Amino acid sequence: MIYALVTGGSRGIGRAVCVELAARGYPVIINYASNEAAALETERIIEGNGGTAERLPFDVADGAAVDQALEDWAEKHPGDYIGVLVNNAGIRRDAMMIFMQDEQWSHVLDISLNGFFYVTRRVLKMMLMKRNGRIVNMVSLSGLKGLPGQTNYSAAKAAVIGATKALAQEVAPRKVTVNAIAPGFIATDMTKDLDEESLKKTIPAGRFGKPEEVAALASFLVSDAAAYITGEVISINGGLYS
């Protein structure tokens, strides 16, 4: 059986992606670092809709923890493999660079960039062996145009964009696609501290996006209909930056 793994799947865009992929028929693995209550709620929503889900806690920034968690999962699921991976885990630690602390820089890169590497490297082997796989990386408007106060976040997401394009070329002969989604302002916990009323005036569509809209795009990219799309970065930002 082919499973879908969503990192940072307990809340926001990650939760919406989990719910959407479960509705598409995938058994979903909900990864989270520490918020078990939120992960349980995501699992409850999926199962309430008739889908299948399980929780798999690990810190994506800890390579050893990633390897151990996914090895344990594989041992419990003989004959199954993760054929869909959505690298969604990420954090913001905003600050002007002149005031940015080492931890603010390293923690953001550890989760978004190193997390992408640790998790993708681990699941890629079976995708290549099975000659089938879909990888979707959540990047950001910030990684495309840069945003002041987010030098760390912009750097991390821009790096994942570059990695997406390179990896897509490596694995395309084995029928594995690798794409990125670059959301603009989406109404989630990550953006709740922003001045939404002011920012909406800068968005041609006049509103923040919904997590479900991002999830719908992810769902398309993992479908058979998207088999010839790879190495792409698709923006979903209401026209803010295209």
Side-chain angles (χ1 to χ4, degrees):
M1 186 175 292
I2 299 174
Y3 278 72
L5 168 62
V6 181
T7 67
S10 64
R11 297 180 296 166
I13 291 173
R15 173 180 287 176
V17 171
C18 287
V19 171
E20 177 67 24
L21 294 183
R24 181 175 277 277
Y26 287 103
V28 173
I29 305 167
I30 306 162
N31 162 256
Y32 62 102
S34 58
N35 194 336
E36 185 174 13
L40 279 165
E41 177 63 12
T42 302
E43 184 179 37
R44 185 195 65 78
I45 293 169
I46 290 171
E47 292 179 345
N49 292 337
T52 302
E54 59 186 84
R55 289 166 286 115
L56 189 63
F58 60 82
D59 179 0
V60 298
D62 183 336
V66 170
D67 284 347
Q68 188 63 59
L70 292 176
E71 183 178 329
D72 290 347
W73 182 88
E75 288 178 359
K76 295 174 183 176
H77 294 79
D80 300 328
Y81 77 102
I82 296 167
V84 172
L85 169 62
V86 181
N87 286 302
N88 172 73
I91 60 166
R92 285 174 43 220
R93 291 290 185 270
D94 295 356
M96 300 301 286
M97 189 170 183
I98 194 170
F99 301 119
M100 189 174 289
Q101 303 301 305
D102 290 357
E103 185 275 338
Q104 291 173 298
W105 175 267
S106 60
H107 199 193
V108 169
L109 267 74
D110 280 346
I111 292 177
S112 287
L113 180 57
N114 293 344
F116 151 80
F117 171 67
Y118 293 139
V119 178
T120 305
R121 177 180 62 175
R122 181 73 198 191
V123 304
L124 197 55
K125 181 178 180 180
M126 286 303 297
M127 290 184 182
L128 296 175
M129 288 177 61
K130 298 288 187 179
R131 302 182 73 89
N132 178 56
R134 296 284 186 270
I135 299 170
V136 177
N137 300 318
M138 287 296 170
V139 290
S140 174
L141 169 71
S142 185
L144 289 170
K145 72 180 293 289
L147 290 174
Q150 290 191 343
T151 307
N152 50 0
Y153 192 69
S154 295
K157 295 303 187 180
V160 175
I161 288 171
T164 296
K165 292 177 176 293
L167 181 60
Q169 295 173 67
E170 292 180 9
V171 300
R174 291 278 178 167
K175 299 182 180 179
V176 176
T177 67
V178 189
N179 291 289
I181 296 175
F185 294 110
I186 308 297
T188 67
D189 287 349
M190 187 175 278
T191 59
K192 67 183 180 182
D193 61 326
L194 301 179
D195 184 351
E196 183 172 348
E197 289 305 310
S198 176
L199 288 169
K200 282 194 300 187
K201 297 173 185 177
T202 70
I203 303 170
R207 65 175 177 87
F208 276 22
K210 301 173 184 177
E212 292 77 15
E213 292 172 315
V214 181
L217 176 55
S219 180
F220 170 70
L221 288 174
V222 308
S223 72
D224 290 342
Y228 202 55
I229 301 173
T230 196
E232 292 301 313
V233 183
I234 303 175
S235 292
I236 178 165
N237 56 37
L240 178 60
Y241 179 81
S242 299

